[in-house]
């Protein structure tokens, strides 16, 4: 049950981090500043996004949660 990390470029100068377990197909995203690249990565890896963690306060992650999860 090894955890892996995928760095996801977002916007022009940000990154989100997808932490996942391929065997269990579960994932957590950290600081999702843009929905599309995160959703594409989750779908490509055939994962079930279970958790969202925000390390700082911005409007975009809040909108991501409301409209895309």
């Amino acid at each position: 049950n090894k955890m892996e990390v995928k760095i996801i470029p977002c916007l022009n100068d940000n990154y989100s981090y997808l932490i996942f377990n391929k065997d269990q197909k579960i994932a957590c995203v950290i600081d999702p500043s843009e929905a599309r690249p995160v959703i594409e990565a989750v779908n490509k890896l055939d994962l079930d996004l279970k958790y969202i963690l925000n390390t700082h306060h911005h409007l975009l992650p809040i909108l991501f949660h409301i409209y895309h999860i």
Side-chain angles (χ1 to χ4, degrees):
N1 288 337
K2 182 175 128 182
M3 301 299 289
E4 298 183 42
V5 177
K6 178 173 179 57
I7 299 171
I8 303 170
C10 294
L11 305 172
N12 291 329
D13 59 353
N14 273 305
Y15 296 93
S16 293
Y17 303 89
L18 189 65
I19 301 171
F20 60 96
N21 181 303
K22 274 188 180 178
D23 296 332
Q24 295 181 358
K25 295 189 178 265
I26 58 172
C28 168
V29 66
I30 300 173
D31 294 332
S33 58
E34 186 179 13
R36 185 180 310 265
V38 173
I39 292 169
E40 288 174 356
V42 167
N43 289 339
K44 182 176 182 180
L45 293 167
D46 192 30
L47 299 170
D48 182 14
L49 183 59
K50 293 280 191 182
Y51 307 99
I52 300 169
L53 302 174
N54 290 314
T55 64
H56 51 281
H57 195 74
H58 285 293
L59 179 60
L60 284 174
I62 293 168
L63 293 175
F64 175 84
H65 299 180
I66 293 170
Y67 295 108
H68 296 286
I69 300 299

